[in-house]
């Protein structure tokens, strides 16, 4: 719990400083890059959270990976986390920052799952309909789920919409199991 509060404080401090410096859009992209980098590279995540690795070595690796790819404020923030022994919380702090940024800019994240890559036209129409319904900008992510067979599923906030063939087949299967067939004597 205390760690979570500290994560929020660090994220809020970065957010407020970024807003003051008018670079939050860049910091938002940077924090997403940090999240993606650690998600795609488990060794890096374990490296950061390993207490036996000396801080100087961690600083060197973070500098090597991020210096040319992120804003100087982002790299200095990551180095501050390392110096304060908060490197294991980097991803959670980055996620908190992303949440603060989205809330401040009225951005909603929606995930659409399709059996294959969705067309740009479909995604564009879906985004515009969602923006009209939610009155916010939509950050749409297309994930591939071949098991859907056809159609799509959509998740935005706590709403889940299943318009897939697999979903319809599952509904039919449940209906068939619930409908008891009785013989008439």
């Amino acid at each position: 719990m205390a760690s979570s509060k500290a994560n929020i404080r660090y994220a809020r401090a970065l957010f407020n400083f970024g807003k003051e410096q008018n670079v939050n859009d860049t910091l938002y992209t940077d924090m997403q890059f940090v999240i993606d980098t650690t998600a795609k590279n488990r060794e890096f995540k374990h490296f950061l959270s390993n207490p036996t690795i000396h801080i100087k070595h961690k600083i060197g690796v973070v500098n090597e990976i991020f210096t040319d790819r992120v804003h100087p404020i982002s790299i200095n923030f990551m180095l501050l986390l390392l110096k304060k022994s908060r490197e294991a919380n980097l991803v959670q702090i980055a996620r908190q920052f992303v949440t603060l940024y989205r809330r401040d800019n009225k951005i909603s994240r929606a995930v659409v799952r399709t059996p294959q890559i969705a067309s740009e036209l479909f995604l564009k129409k879906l985004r515009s309909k969602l923006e009209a319904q939610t009155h916010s900008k939509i950050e749409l992510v297309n994930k591939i789920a071949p098991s859907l067979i056809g159609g799509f599923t959509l998740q935005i906030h706590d709403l889940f919409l299943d318009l897939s063939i697999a979903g319809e087949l599952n509904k039919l299967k449940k209906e068939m199991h619930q409908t008891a067939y009785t013989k008439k004597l």
Side-chain angles (χ1 to χ4, degrees):
M1 184 77 166
S3 177
S4 177
K5 286 181 181 181
N7 294 347
I8 293 168
R9 286 186 189 124
Y10 276 101
R12 190 170 290 131
L14 178 62
F15 180 80
N16 290 337
F17 185 69
K19 200 168 192 176
E20 197 177 280
Q21 299 295 314
N22 201 26
V23 293
N24 264 353
D25 294 342
T26 304
L27 297 181
Y28 175 67
T29 305
D30 292 350
M31 292 302 112
Q32 287 183 315
F33 178 66
V34 167
I35 293 166
D36 291 343
T37 301
T38 53
K40 290 176 185 170
N41 191 337
R42 290 182 64 175
E43 291 84 21
F44 178 67
K45 187 175 182 178
H46 292 302
F47 169 80
L48 281 180
S49 59
N50 188 338
T52 61
I53 297 173
H54 196 273
I55 189 83
K56 288 182 182 180
H57 187 58
K58 289 180 182 182
I59 289 172
V61 170
V62 166
N63 272 325
E64 187 176 322
I65 293 173
F66 294 106
T67 296
D68 295 334
R69 295 185 178 116
V70 299
H71 193 278
I73 291 174
S74 295
I75 194 73
N76 287 334
F77 180 73
M78 287 187 268
L79 296 176
L80 173 73
L81 293 177
L82 287 166
K83 290 173 186 169
K84 296 288 184 178
S85 299
R86 298 273 183 199
E87 63 272 13
N89 301 65
L90 175 61
V91 175
Q92 294 90 342
I93 293 168
R95 284 191 180 122
Q96 286 291 333
F97 179 89
V98 166
T99 300
L100 290 169
Y101 180 88
R102 286 180 179 155
R103 189 176 303 140
D104 189 61
N105 289 283
K106 295 177 179 52
I107 298 173
S108 296
R109 184 174 191 265
V111 177
V112 61
R113 287 180 174 79
T114 54
Q116 55 191 354
I117 296 173
S119 72
E120 286 300 317
L121 179 63
F122 170 75
L123 294 174
K124 187 176 179 181
K125 285 182 179 181
L126 181 61
R127 181 180 289 113
S128 66
K129 285 185 180 191
L130 290 172
E131 286 175 347
Q133 290 291 317
T134 62
H135 306 291
S136 65
K137 296 178 211 164
I138 298 294
E139 196 174 89
L140 194 58
V141 178
N142 183 205
K143 294 192 176 182
I144 309 304
S147 64
L148 295 178
I149 304 169
F152 66 93
T153 64
L154 175 72
Q155 185 170 359
I156 182 168
H157 304 296
D158 59 351
L159 173 72
F160 182 78
L161 180 63
D162 188 349
L163 298 173
S164 68
I165 292 175
E168 289 300 315
L169 289 173
N170 284 334
K171 285 179 195 173
L172 285 171
K173 184 178 176 181
K174 283 180 184 176
E175 281 181 32
M176 290 177 74
H177 285 300
Q178 288 176 352
T179 306
Y181 177 79
T182 55
K183 285 187 177 180
K184 290 185 179 181
L185 295 173

